[in-house]
Amino acid sequence: MKYLVMVQGSQKDYEAQAGKGSPDSPVWDEKAMQAMFAHMGSINDDLAESGELVCAYGLTEPAQGRAVSVDAEGRPVVSDGPYSETKELLAGFWILECESLERVTEIAARVTRCPQPAGAPEYPVLIRTIGGGID
């Protein structure tokens, strides 16, 4: 079974990682960034070795995205600053091929243990079963 494992973040979190912290999201220094990259890299290496990794990507900050909708006449409406009314957004994801929901839950629990600066927000790691698609 394939699963989508999602990590969340906010624009403030991206800014904190770039050195502009806030009360809700303290600055990540170089040591904290390297610890995070090492943790995620170790997970990716283990998933590749076990054959469970289909793909994984981190996403750029939300400010670089767009929201596209349609108006009453069906014309596209493009907005800057993609999701102004939503605080937490998708920050990255894995698509995994695992034998069970229990196994992917173990992996998600490992992801939640990613080191981060004291006071940084903790987001749940979300799991969705992929029901179909094209490979």
Side-chain angles (χ1 to χ4, degrees), residues 28-42 113-117:
W28 290 58
D29 62 17
E30 184 62 27
K31 184 178 177 182
M33 292 295 292
Q34 290 305 318
M36 183 263 294
F37 288 134
H39 181 80
M40 295 302 188
S42 174
R113 292 189 289 272
C114 182
Q116 59 181 9

Side-chain angles (χ1 to χ4, degrees), residues 22-28 32 115-122:
S22 67
D24 299 337
S25 195
V27 170
W28 290 58
Q116 59 181 9
E122 294 185 22

Side-chain angles (χ1 to χ4, degrees), residues 45-76:
D45 291 346
D46 291 348
L47 292 171
E49 186 174 322
S50 70
E52 296 170 307
L53 179 63
V54 175
C55 68
Y57 291 95
L59 302 176
T60 61
E61 64 180 306
Q64 294 182 15
R66 290 183 165 174
V68 181
S69 59
V70 293
D71 65 15
E73 284 78 42
R75 294 177 298 219

Side-chain angles (χ1 to χ4, degrees), residues 65-69 77-84:
R66 290 183 165 174
V68 181
S69 59
V77 177
V78 179
S79 303
D80 292 333
Y83 318 103
S84 60

